[in-house]
Amino acid sequence: MPLHQLKTWRDEYFRPITLKQLGLHIQLGHSTGQPCYNPKPAYDDDFTIIDVHGIHEVALSFCNCEQASLHYKQILCTCWFLATSTDPRTAATFTVLEHFHLLSFESKVSAFEFYHCIACWSDNTGVNPIKDRYSVFLRIMAEWHNIKALKRAGRGHDPAGVDATQEGELVVLCPACPHPGKNLAEILNDVAPGNCACISHITVNMADMKASKGLAATGVGTVVCVRHDMQLANGVGDLQKGEKYLNMDYIVFSTLSCFSSIPAINFSYDIACQWHKKLWHRVQQYRFFVPKFHLAAHIAACQTKFSFNWSPHVGRMDGEAPEQGWANINCVAASTKEMAPGTCQDILDDHFGDWNWKKVTALGQTLLHKITDAVNAEQDHCHALADSEGSIKELDPGAASLATWKNNHKKPNPFNSQSREVTQAAVHLALIQQDAKNLKEGISISLHSEVTPSILISMGLDLKDAQ
């Protein structure tokens, strides 16, 4: 009722009119109909409420009775959120904050667009200017994001208070990843090699920025649980001029601080073959892979050394799951590229938290779908493997070398091709040398004095390629 929009018939047409102009007065601190004997009007009798259906000017008084609660608490009990606790003149309803919060996740709408949409809802003619509360709305939303994150992480139950919150404690955790003390024992010395965490870090193209001059950051690097595609704690950081090892190393090891007791970790990175070189020599328990889609662009040696297909304990994952997050987060670039560093980090944390939450709620259906497909595929592959092994059982000299390599990857990799690559140029050279030898020995069978058989074959191959 206090935020309804009305129109009155005057001068032969309807004119907008506010409840404040009609004499409605909102009294806080008391039940409806109960009078207050010591009211205190809002500062300068000027109070604005931002709601889903518009921006409203209202007449409002706080209760100043002896047993009255603090003014900001009176506002919060009305489900309104103040911009400041000192002489407040603006508040936003919980409804509009929740509405914008969800809308920003789903449509990536900016606060500027949303606020001005509400302003147009109040008066789309432009005849009656609406009070500009855009900067106030930004401050309210920043506080709302922070409080929501603290609430969902349970920080209000910490005896030391929210000030004791450490880095990474507000993240929505992946329930399937190993978390010592939660879904695993505190000490993992006897854990089998199969219990490992597979992570991948990617570069999220936050904007199409061709120049970096004057920019604090040109993109964002993230560390992701590659098996379940969830953002990890302390796993987001700014990049300057692409994926510098300096930036990526810092982001990776900041994330690994949360997995310090995990005995084995698999890294998936599209340039892992270069990035892992000269990495901290003490991380020998880590394995490095190149995602399957990117692997084809690497040389033959990388395609066997960094392949998921030839390594145990990684399942059938392709390592490309982090790429799926680009479409979701890139749209936020239009807003974050103009934000201050702190606000940008809060917004990214908020959106990544929403992404993780959606993954958690869908995890049951996702795993059911995957295990159903895996059971059916397992039967087909077992039959195919049995047929293959039955046909080459007596011609399997590499079984011993395969077992040796599985136990120690420093041994020769049996999956590396032992044959030499033959190029067209090499074949052409060999044929020319054979022609020269035949001419010298007088046994040439060429049908043309200037076109030898090798030249004829080469011309035929060139014509085929040109077609």
Side-chain angles (χ1 to χ4, degrees):
M1 176 64 183
L3 304 181
H4 282 189
Q5 291 182 328
L6 304 177
K7 290 185 178 180
T8 181
W9 181 264
R10 192 173 63 186
D11 297 335
E12 298 184 351
Y13 65 93
F14 285 104
R15 294 174 177 267
I17 188 171
T18 65
L19 289 172
K20 179 180 180 180
Q21 292 172 327
L22 293 176
L24 179 66
H25 196 91
I26 301 174
Q27 178 61 57
L28 302 180
H30 293 274
S31 302
T32 303
Q34 183 180 358
C36 178
Y37 297 102
N38 189 18
K40 181 182 179 181
Y43 182 79
D44 202 21
D45 194 23
D46 177 23
F47 203 87
T48 303
I49 303 291
I50 304 173
D51 190 31
V52 175
H53 300 298
I55 302 172
H56 309 271
E57 296 182 29
V58 300
L60 179 142
S61 294
F62 296 97
C63 175
N64 241 19
C65 297
E66 184 177 355
Q67 301 298 326
S69 58
L70 298 176
H71 290 180
Y72 77 89
K73 291 185 178 180
Q74 296 180 33
I75 286 284
L76 290 175
C77 288
T78 317
C79 292
W80 295 347
F81 199 98
L82 285 174
T84 176
S85 58
T86 305
D87 295 330
R89 290 188 291 178
T90 306
T93 63
F94 286 9
T95 303
V96 72
L97 298 179
E98 292 172 349
H99 185 76
F100 172 66
H101 206 178
L102 291 175
L103 194 63
S104 65
F105 290 149
E106 300 303 322
S107 69
K108 305 300 184 276
V109 65
S110 67
F112 180 86
E113 296 165 336
F114 181 80
Y115 177 83
H116 285 84
C117 176
I118 294 176
C120 291
W121 190 295
S122 302
D123 183 3
N124 200 27
T125 65
V127 176
N128 301 311
I130 304 298
K131 287 189 175 181
D132 186 7
R133 293 290 190 269
Y134 171 62
S135 59
V136 176
F137 181 71
L138 291 180
R139 183 163 62 250
I140 292 176
M141 280 308 306
E143 296 174 1
W144 177 266
H145 288 157
N146 182 252
I147 291 176
K148 279 288 188 179
L150 292 169
K151 173 186 174 183
R152 290 166 179 167
R155 298 305 306 156
H157 299 289
D158 191 332
V162 297
D163 292 337
T165 304
Q166 301 297 315
E167 291 184 356
E169 288 189 343
L170 300 185
V171 70
V172 179
L173 294 175
C174 174
C177 282
H179 301 288
K182 295 180 180 178
N183 56 6
L184 286 177
E186 290 284 358
I187 301 177
L188 303 178
N189 294 333
D190 298 327
V191 174
N195 290 328
C196 56
C198 300
I199 65 176
S200 172
H201 56 286
I202 60 174
T203 301
V204 181
N205 182 18
M206 298 303 296
D208 185 15
M209 301 177 183
K210 297 183 179 180
S212 59
K213 184 177 180 180
L215 300 177
T218 57
V220 171
T222 68
V223 180
V224 183
C225 165
V226 73
R227 193 182 296 276
H228 310 105
D229 194 12
M230 297 184 67
Q231 308 293 334
L232 299 179
N234 301 332
V236 181
D238 289 337
L239 300 177
Q240 293 82 31
K241 295 184 178 180
E243 305 173 42
K244 287 185 177 180
Y245 288 173
L246 175 68
N247 300 68
M248 301 310 297
D249 291 351
Y250 179 80
I251 299 171
V252 168
F253 286 106
S254 295
T255 304
L256 290 180
S257 64
C258 301
F259 296 91
S260 57
S261 59
I262 303 298
I265 292 180
N266 300 319
F267 287 94
S268 173
Y269 190 19
D270 53 5
I271 55 171
C273 55
Q274 298 296 324
W275 176 72
H276 85 289
K277 295 179 179 180
K278 298 183 180 180
L279 197 63
W280 188 23
H281 66 278
R282 293 177 57 188
V283 297
Q284 297 178 359
Q285 71 272 30
Y286 298 162
R287 295 189 298 172
F288 302 90
F289 300 92
V290 175
K292 291 183 179 179
F293 179 79
H294 292 81
L295 190 61
H298 289 246
I299 62 175
C302 291
Q303 293 183 20
T304 53
K305 182 177 181 181
F306 299 97
S307 173
F308 280 98
N309 293 332
W310 315 132
S311 299
H313 314 306
V314 294
R316 294 299 302 157
M317 65 182 179
D318 54 21
E320 298 285 357
E323 306 288 345
Q324 301 171 6
W326 286 31
N328 178 68
I329 199 64
N330 280 352
C331 300
V332 186
S335 299
T336 57
K337 66 183 180 181
E338 297 181 356
M339 293 179 179
T343 305
C344 179
Q345 293 169 11
D346 290 343
I347 294 298
L348 290 179
D349 282 347
D350 207 35
H351 281 269
F352 286 137
D354 175 69
W355 174 267
N356 282 10
W357 174 247
K358 290 175 180 175
K359 291 292 182 179
V360 170
T361 56
L363 194 58
Q365 291 295 327
T366 302
L367 294 180
L368 176 62
H369 176 74
K370 288 184 177 181
I371 197 171
T372 302
D373 290 346
V375 169
N376 297 330
E378 188 263 350
Q379 297 176 356
D380 297 337
H381 284 283
C382 282
H383 291 308
L385 179 62
D387 294 340
S388 177
E389 289 181 341
S391 62
I392 61 174
K393 187 173 182 179
E394 298 179 358
L395 302 174
D396 190 15
S401 60
L402 177 60
T404 303
W405 177 78
K406 283 185 176 180
N407 294 327
N408 185 0
H409 275 35
K410 293 183 178 180
K411 298 295 183 180
N413 187 343
F415 294 107
N416 287 332
S417 177
Q418 303 300 321
S419 60
R420 296 178 57 185
E421 293 184 357
V422 179
T423 64
Q424 183 177 338
V427 173
H428 191 188
L429 177 61
L431 290 174
I432 291 176
Q433 292 174 347
Q434 183 65 37
D435 290 340
K437 181 180 179 182
N438 292 340
L439 287 173
K440 184 177 181 180
E441 296 177 356
I443 58 174
S444 174
I445 58 174
S446 174
L447 300 179
H448 193 279
S449 59
E450 296 182 0
V451 180
T452 64
S454 63
I455 294 178
L456 182 63
I457 293 173
S458 297
M459 291 177 61
L461 293 175
D462 292 338
L463 287 173
K464 181 181 178 181
D465 293 337
Q467 291 178 349

